[in-house]
Amino acid sequence: METVEKELLRGGQFLVKESNCEDIFTPEDFNEEQQMMKEAVMEFNDREVIAHRERFEKKDYAFTEECMRKAGELGFLGVAVPEEYGGLGMGFVSTMLVCDYISSGTGSFSTAFGAHTGIGTMPITLYGTEEQKQKYVPQLATGEWFGAYCLTEPGAGSDANSGKTTAELSADGKTYKINGQKMWISNAGFCKLFIVFARIENDKNITGFIVENDPSNGITLGEEEHKLGIRASSTRQVFFNDTVVPVENMLAGRGEGFKIAMNALNVGRIKLAAACLDSQRRITTTAIQYATERKQFKTPIADFGAIKSKLAEMAASAYAGESASYRAAKNIEDRIAIRQASGNTHQEAELKGVEEYAIECSILKVAVSEDVQNCADEGIQIFGGMGFSEETPMEAAWRDARIARIYEGTNEINRMLSVGMLVKKAMKGHVDLLGPAMKVADELMGIPSFDVQDYSELFSEEKDLITRLKKVFLMVAGSAVQKFGPDLEQHQQLLMNASNILIEIYMAESAILRTEKNAKRFGEEAQKEQIAMAQLYLFNAVEIIKKNGMEGIISFAEGDEQKMMLMGLKRFTKYTNYPNVVELRNTIAEKLKAENKYCF
Ligand SMILES: Cc1cc2nc3c(=O)[nH]c(=O)nc-3n(C[C@H](O)[C@H](O)[C@H](O)COP(=O)(O)OP(=O)(O)OC[C@H]3O[C@@H](n4cnc5c(N)ncnc54)[C@H](O)[C@@H]3O)c2cc1C
């Protein structure tokens, strides 16, 4: 166990420490049990969800519930639940995998699944007392009961701790009376249990409660919301009117609700990223199949460079999303194992293990939710007019993808969190950003090296580039912290720039490390297209980093300082040998066409 600890990077440390490709977990490392799970889930998704796509589009909420029950019967709702509470007690990677492969049929089912297994159940498994876990978790794990999570209110969305729902202790000290209005509550229409956040007296922070859904106890629901997408996901307002809850149903302690809400969301965010992955694969596959069949100008449209480019970009972003999601998932799993080995209970270990990688969870949530949206958008474009029709799956995929940028913390909030948490970790001494940032500052003042680098080995230039891209982040964020101190949080546009740089570094590095690992074990020829995807992703990342780096620098640096930083930016983002991106895209697209599906 000690050796794992030595090699395991802390959350956010990817920015200042190199990772060996051998230390990265990749989807190609799934063990036999995970492969079997993946196949079982895919089979379920094909049979029960995808085959009935039109029922979801017609807002058949009862059908969503029926599918959830079937998922429960097969054990899929309990994968993350420890065995002693009726679940399968699988590791974090396996739980990600289930989320990934069960989610591509429709956003309606994947939202119901995510809301129940994540934010509807996790607060109890992570923070519940033994009695609470014994009483509630087994029913949730099997799907006998469904869970929902009531945080958002009309006046409290992103500012989640500002809710007005109240919890008042009774005179005999035995119960709380809950009053308030919650909105946008997924699964509200069919759940049996709510996790409710409410304020006791004038507490600074809200408190979490487990509330059974009993209409005779002052609980009423609003009508189903009419939404852009995820049409058969039940989303309703929930009203609590003198709802009586026994004191034993308080989660963790008084005022601990905000912490619970945030930690539940960390898990929710990385799992939401997973839930977008198979959608990207399926959208890409559907687009390829259409493009090889559809002819214009007597030519399959898949043979046109403009379409090949889209297909290749769609595949490359899905590939990077997979690479980064499973890399982070295994880090979390290993961190949980280390904590358990050092005496933490499973509950404490899981909580701290996920919290450690909260930065990566936010990065993944933002990156993958935007990738799936772009992927669906290009999918529509490849389908042309048919893409705009309800008769083809693209328009629903596009509408369904849209919500992922909003819930589990909007992408703006997650962008700010990713940088904010990193700065906090640096302040606490958990990640040494200051030392590396000072080195970069020295390097900027020094004379650049004109040594010719040997880039003959696979990815040697790309890895060198990644090291330099990290310097861009350290240069921009380091100077910004120095300049603004705690006021940095007021400079949101700068935080967006810094976050965009951070996100691209993590995603590009993950794609490269995965491919390097696989090229070493399967051979470079067998990984030709994956190499092309990793290089293409990095090329795009460099462009994004250049733009965001420049915007950041010119927003706060002037004169010589600005000049020096812009020169640094140029040096840190420079290719010696530019990849021929047209060739890279053609290589990827030809493989996709030959296999007639996303095949990586
Ligand atoms: C279909 C659906 C299902 C949902 N399911 C659930 C659920 O099950 N349980 C639950 O509790 N909630 C749920 N939500 C609510 C969801 O989490 C919130 O919608 C989300 O957190 C954003 O809050 P808001 O809608 O109030 O937007 P606002 O917070 O009003 O945000 C509006 C815009 O302002 C930006 N913004 C807000 N604050 C800042 C800031 N400080 N700095 C910069 N920009 C800012 C946001 O990024 C966004 O772009 C769901 C929402 C939807 C649409």
Side-chain angles (χ1 to χ4, degrees):
M1 202 45 74
E2 212 178 290
T3 48
V4 179
E5 185 150 29
K6 260 191 228 153
E7 292 157 5
L8 187 58
L9 294 188
R10 297 200 63 156
Q13 225 172 21
F14 71 89
L15 196 65
V16 285
K17 288 213 164 149
E18 298 307 317
S19 294
N20 288 324
C21 66
E22 287 80 14
D23 298 335
I24 295 296
F25 181 85
T26 77
E28 291 70 28
D29 294 311
F30 287 154
N31 60 28
E32 209 174 313
E33 186 191 67
Q34 288 165 336
Q35 282 295 351
M36 278 164 57
M37 192 52 144
K38 172 179 153 183
E39 273 150 37
V41 170
M42 284 172 86
E43 201 258 326
F44 171 83
N45 191 29
D46 281 337
R47 189 186 63 233
E48 304 293 346
V49 186
I50 295 183
H52 307 284
R53 209 157 8 199
E54 74 287 354
R55 292 185 70 175
F56 293 104
E57 288 316 306
K58 291 195 173 125
K59 303 189 178 179
D60 191 342
Y61 303 104
F63 188 63
T64 302
E65 184 182 348
E66 192 184 316
C67 284
M68 284 288 287
R69 248 174 243 295
K70 284 183 184 161
E73 281 159 19
L74 292 169
F76 298 146
L77 302 182
V79 282
V81 171
E83 282 169 289
E84 60 264 43
Y85 307 111
L88 299 180
M90 295 180 97
F92 201 83
V93 171
S94 302
T95 68
M96 281 280 284
L97 181 155
V98 172
C99 229
D100 176 349
Y101 287 94
I102 213 164
S103 295
S104 65
T106 154
S108 301
F109 181 74
S110 83
T111 300
F113 181 84
H116 169 77
T117 56
I119 50 184
T121 303
M122 292 289 285
I124 311 181
T125 56
L126 290 181
Y127 287 97
T129 60
E130 193 49 41
E131 292 70 34
Q132 288 169 343
K133 286 191 281 187
Q134 295 283 359
K135 185 168 178 193
Y136 293 114
V137 177
Q139 286 106 302
L140 292 168
T142 53
E144 206 179 312
W145 282 26
F146 294 116
Y149 177 84
C150 296
L151 178 65
T152 307
E153 299 183 10
S158 300
D159 187 6
N161 203 25
S162 69
K164 291 196 164 43
T165 298
T166 56
E168 193 188 332
L169 189 62
S170 61
D172 62 7
K174 289 191 176 155
T175 57
Y176 279 97
K177 209 179 258 178
I178 297 192
N179 279 288
Q181 176 184 2
K182 297 287 177 178
M183 77 181 297
W184 300 119
I185 306 309
S186 303
N187 293 354
F190 62 89
C191 75
K192 188 81 176 72
L193 179 150
F194 296 108
I195 305 292
V196 182
F197 296 91
R199 193 175 311 278
I200 301 173
E201 296 172 344
N202 288 323
D203 285 1
K204 179 167 165 258
N205 289 326
I206 49 180
T207 299
F209 294 90
I210 304 169
V211 181
E212 293 181 27
N213 186 4
D214 173 5
S216 69
N217 187 16
I219 299 175
T220 48
L221 301 178
E223 290 299 309
E224 286 289 352
E225 301 288 347
H226 296 287
K227 306 185 295 288
L228 172 72
I230 57 167
R231 290 188 169 161
S233 159
S234 171
T235 320
R236 301 172 80 158
Q237 294 200 49
V238 184
F239 301 90
F240 298 98
N241 188 8
D242 287 343
T243 300
V244 178
V245 183
V247 286
E248 307 85 82
N249 279 25
M250 183 190 284
L251 266 175
R254 177 171 170 174
E256 297 284 304
F258 190 56
K259 197 169 79 186
I260 299 174
M262 292 304 109
N263 276 323
L265 287 177
N266 285 334
V267 184
R269 282 166 189 158
I270 187 168
K271 295 217 170 152
L272 175 57
C276 295
L277 290 174
D278 202 45
S279 302
Q280 282 196 72
R281 295 187 200 102
R282 282 190 190 261
I283 292 167
T284 308
T285 292
T286 311
I288 293 157
Q289 291 171 354
Y290 183 81
T292 48
E293 272 177 23
R294 172 73 176 168
K295 285 191 179 154
Q296 285 296 281
F297 305 96
K298 300 196 177 88
T299 312
I301 59 167
D303 289 347
F304 295 131
I307 301 296
K308 282 195 212 173
S309 161
K310 292 185 194 302
L311 293 170
E313 295 284 357
M314 289 157 82
S317 76
Y319 180 76
E322 289 171 353
S323 312
S325 299
Y326 285 101
R327 172 189 185 185
K330 185 64 161 69
N331 285 159
I332 291 173
E333 186 169 294
D334 288 345
R335 180 65 62 188
I336 292 170
I338 288 168
R339 286 198 158 263
Q340 275 187 295
S342 66
N344 277 184
T345 62
H346 176 81
Q347 194 166 348
E348 289 164 336
E350 180 134 351
L351 200 56
K352 293 284 172 201
V354 180
E355 203 182 355
E356 176 67 39
Y357 295 96
I359 296 167
E360 285 79 356
C361 293
S362 281
I363 288 176
L364 284 164
K365 192 274 179 185
V366 173
V368 185
S369 66
E370 293 182 2
D371 284 345
V372 70
Q373 176 92 64
N374 293 336
C375 187
D377 197 66
E378 291 292 43
I380 290 184
Q381 198 66 16
I382 290 171
F383 269 65
M386 286 310 290
F388 205 63
S389 163
E390 284 187 7
E391 278 171 33
T392 67
M394 286 303 172
E395 66 88 38
W398 185 84
R399 287 188 287 98
D400 283 1
R402 189 63 186 83
I403 185 60
R405 289 164 56 194
I406 298 170
Y407 58 21
E408 305 279 352
T410 65
N411 282 13
E412 292 72 32
I413 296 291
N414 272 291
R415 278 191 161 89
M416 287 186 284
L417 276 175
S418 64
V419 178
M421 290 188 291
L422 191 57
V423 172
K424 244 185 227 158
K425 274 197 150 188
M427 302 280 186
K428 283 187 186 163
H430 293 172
V431 176
D432 176 21
L433 288 189
L434 190 66
M438 278 165 63
K439 268 197 201 149
V440 175
D442 287 347
E443 196 179 330
L444 284 179
M445 311 275 249
I447 300 162
S449 152
F450 292 105
D451 291 350
V452 178
Q453 297 261 27
D454 176 9
Y455 287 140
S456 51
E457 219 177 280
L458 176 68
F459 289 141
S460 47
E461 175 157 10
E462 286 78 4
K463 284 165 67 181
D464 180 43
L465 194 43
I466 293 275
T467 306
R468 286 184 276 125
L469 295 178
K470 293 178 182 179
K471 292 181 185 175
V472 175
F473 181 86
L474 292 167
M475 173 176 75
V476 175
S479 311
V481 170
Q482 227 176 10
K483 190 140 279 179
F484 300 118
D487 288 342
L488 180 60
E489 62 182 69
Q490 309 302 328
H491 297 262
Q492 285 197 353
Q493 297 193 47
L494 182 52
L495 288 174
M496 297 290 129
N497 292 135
S499 174
N500 289 339
I501 298 171
L502 188 67
I503 290 169
E504 292 306 322
I505 291 170
Y506 190 68
M507 302 303 286
E509 183 183 63
S510 302
I512 284 171
L513 290 171
R514 170 186 179 183
T515 316
E516 187 190 10
K517 181 176 185 181
N518 288 335
K520 279 188 181 167
R521 54 185 164 172
F522 307 132
E524 282 185 32
E525 189 49 36
Q527 293 290 299
K528 198 169 85 192
E529 294 81 16
Q530 286 87 339
I531 292 170
M533 286 193 289
Q535 290 175 330
L536 178 61
Y537 192 94
L538 178 64
F539 178 83
N540 292 333
V542 170
E543 290 307 305
I544 295 170
I545 290 171
K546 269 189 205 167
K547 178 176 182 291
N548 281 278
M550 177 172 300
E551 277 185 26
I553 292 165
I554 59 184
S555 76
F556 68 82
E558 288 174 348
D560 285 348
E561 189 195 6
Q562 185 189 92
K563 224 183 256 169
M564 188 176 66
M565 287 175 80
L566 289 175
M567 270 163 58
L569 179 67
K570 201 167 169 193
R571 208 188 316 157
F572 296 150
T573 54
K574 180 174 156 275
Y575 271 100
T576 300
N577 309 291
Y578 274 107
N580 181 338
V581 284
V582 173
E583 259 175 33
L584 294 180
R585 293 198 198 103
N586 283 341
T587 303
I588 302 161
E590 289 309 325
K591 178 72 174 175
L592 294 168
K593 277 164 53 186
E595 300 285 334
N596 211 21
K597 61 177 187 192
Y598 177 86
C599 52
F600 305 108

